[in-house]
Amino acid sequence: MASQLLSAAGNHISLPESYVRPESQRPRLRDVINDTNIPIIDLGSPDKQQIVAQVADACRSLGFFQVVNHGVTVDSMQKMMGVASEFFHLPPEEKAKYYSDDTTKKMRLSTSFNIRKESVRNWRDYLRLHCYPLEELVPGWPSNPASFKEVVSAYCREVRRLGFRLLGAISLSLELEEDYLEKMLGEQEQHMAVNYYPKCPDPELTYGLPAHTDPNVLTILLQDPNVAGLQVLKDGRWMAVRPLPNALVVNVADQLQALSNGRYRSVRHRAVVNSDKERISVASFLCPGNSVVISPPEKLVGGDGCRAMYRSYTYEQYYDKFWSRALDEHCLDFFKR
Ligand code: OGA
Ligand code: NI
């Protein structure tokens, strides 16, 4: 029901019981590391080898990095954030038209993560869009705000180009042919989650998104340059990512961990909320074609007695598993050999 949207209600004075985490699962914001930066990779650098080395480093260690000079225009990023904000501030009856909890829908507005499966709510509303092929999907997108379709599709095109460029660098960093991943991943789907985290009356008791890994191959996140919220697990401690204006945050997702046979890490991350400012982020997910079999290249298996960590599966099988659960376990663990 659309009335469950956080953005349908006015200001919240206290946190409803259904959002309160048990003591042991709370974010403990005081323990978060605030003063470190995640690696920044300048994709405009003429030194391609250095870029590949930096990508390898980041994917092996933190699983997260930021890119600058990435080819997505500032204009496009600003318009995307603008239209996202306008969307979530539409009147409730307008947003209600787009509401659905059915995780198989290619366009839907929902709340929390997966309200059919979870026991505690998350302080988030989100608009989820399938974005490839655009010509087929755009007609089903919201037509309010009036510029939505045009702005979001332009952003999607630019992000897709960046994603493929990153997959090239990642392939090289695994000593594979530059087009290896792009080829093996087939006709890649692209999904988007436009996340809206309203001001929260009690950020210590709840999450925007609890710890999770992303089910796809690679995620590219655009976030509000003025409001922090993304945190990444590093050596057992949560580290806050300081937003860097005009940068995009990239993370290794589950399929890249599987395809690299565990060399690259799909690291747990979460979004916390705050009581002063709402926050918007736009996550773009590159996803393998549904029927693509996920299995690491020969080169990354064998040798040194190292065998495939995960059994082979199709992305469709993985994706079904992902949405059949709450967010608390690492979905890849279900596919261990
Ligand atoms: C996601 C995600 C983080 C954020 O949408 O998968 O991790 O900062 N978002 O919104
Ligand atoms: Ni995520």
Side-chain angles (χ1 to χ4, degrees):
M1 273 182 331
S3 58
Q4 311 198 62
L5 289 170
L6 288 164
S7 60
N11 270 344
H12 294 82
I13 292 154
S14 67
L15 189 69
E17 202 55 40
S18 51
Y19 291 83
V20 177
R21 294 267 159 184
E23 185 94 38
S24 64
Q25 292 175 14
R26 293 183 186 165
R28 300 167 66 96
L29 298 173
R30 265 185 311 274
D31 295 343
V32 171
I33 307 170
N34 272 309
D35 44 6
T36 47
N37 256 324
I38 64 173
I40 298 169
I41 302 181
D42 181 357
L43 295 181
S45 157
D47 189 345
K48 203 168 160 185
Q49 258 182 335
Q50 189 195 25
I51 294 176
V52 171
Q54 288 173 330
V55 165
D57 249 11
C59 294
R60 263 197 305 260
S61 51
L62 190 59
F64 268 78
F65 56 93
Q66 306 191 69
V67 287
V68 295
N69 295 318
H70 42 60
V72 180
T73 60
V74 171
D75 182 58
S76 190
M77 294 190 289
Q78 286 175 346
K79 283 186 173 147
M80 179 66 233
M81 289 302 271
V83 86
S85 170
E86 271 181 70
F87 178 84
F88 283 102
H89 290 102
L90 289 173
E93 59 281 8
E94 186 59 28
K95 281 184 298 219
K97 294 182 194 164
Y98 306 114
Y99 188 86
S100 173
D101 309 328
D102 177 354
T103 60
T104 64
K105 286 227 158 118
K106 297 189 176 188
M107 188 285 291
R108 65 190 176 97
L109 173 63
S110 190
T111 192
S112 191
F113 165 65
N114 189 357
I115 56 174
R116 294 187 184 177
K117 301 284 175 187
E118 63 206 5
S119 50
V120 186
R121 290 276 170 105
N122 302 298
W123 200 255
R124 167 180 89 137
D125 287 344
Y126 65 102
L127 176 66
R128 213 163 192 298
L129 303 171
H130 287 210
C131 317
Y132 186 84
L134 277 168
E135 316 73 66
E136 231 171 74
L137 296 160
V138 172
W141 289 1
S143 39
N144 194 359
S147 64
F148 186 95
K149 290 177 180 174
E150 189 190 324
V151 166
V152 180
S153 42
Y155 178 77
C156 284
R157 281 199 189 90
E158 292 184 29
V159 162
R160 190 172 181 87
R161 258 197 306 274
L162 168 61
F164 282 21
R165 208 171 141 203
L166 290 167
L167 287 178
I170 291 169
S171 297
L172 290 173
S173 76
L174 289 165
E175 294 174 25
L176 303 165
E177 296 288 322
E178 186 165 5
D179 61 359
Y180 180 87
L181 286 169
E182 189 176 332
K183 273 197 177 141
M184 74 94 31
L185 290 166
E187 193 74 352
Q188 284 182 69
E189 289 204 12
Q190 183 177 345
H191 296 180
M192 176 185 273
V194 186
N195 300 309
Y196 176 72
Y197 306 102
K199 283 195 250 184
C200 177
D202 210 334
E204 292 280 356
L205 302 184
T206 193
Y207 292 101
L209 267 176
H212 68 282
T213 64
D214 296 342
N216 47 294
V217 180
L218 196 69
T219 303
I220 300 175
L221 185 81
L222 167 65
Q223 50 172 346
D224 188 317
N226 301 310
V227 192
L230 173 65
Q231 303 187 341
V232 179
L233 195 59
K234 185 187 187 218
D235 306 326
R237 284 190 69 186
W238 288 101
M239 188 177 114
V241 175
R242 199 183 306 145
L244 179 66
N246 303 332
L248 291 163
V249 176
V250 180
N251 68 280
V252 170
D254 294 352
Q255 303 319 312
L256 200 50
Q257 176 165 328
L259 286 168
S260 66
N261 204 21
R263 283 172 176 73
Y264 288 177
R265 299 176 52 227
S266 177
V267 169
R268 284 201 163 88
H269 53 284
R270 65 186 191 180
V272 299
V273 288
N274 74 81
S275 52
D276 307 325
K277 284 184 185 153
E278 61 182 35
R279 173 170 179 264
I280 288 176
S281 70
V282 180
S284 294
F285 308 104
L286 275 182
C287 317
N290 265 329
S291 57
V292 169
V293 176
I294 303 296
S295 165
E298 202 102 322
K299 208 169 167 175
L300 302 183
V301 191
D304 308 333
C306 155
R307 59 187 202 116
M309 287 178 72
Y310 307 101
R311 60 183 166 81
S312 301
Y313 53 83
T314 63
Y315 187 58
E316 188 167 29
Q317 290 168 330
Y318 195 88
Y319 200 66
D320 284 350
K321 184 74 193 170
F322 183 80
W323 283 105
S324 71
R325 55 194 254 291
L327 270 183
D328 33 18
E329 310 113 310
H330 202 312
C331 191
L332 259 184
D333 288 346
F334 294 105
F335 295 83
K336 270 203 172 128
R337 296 233 297 186

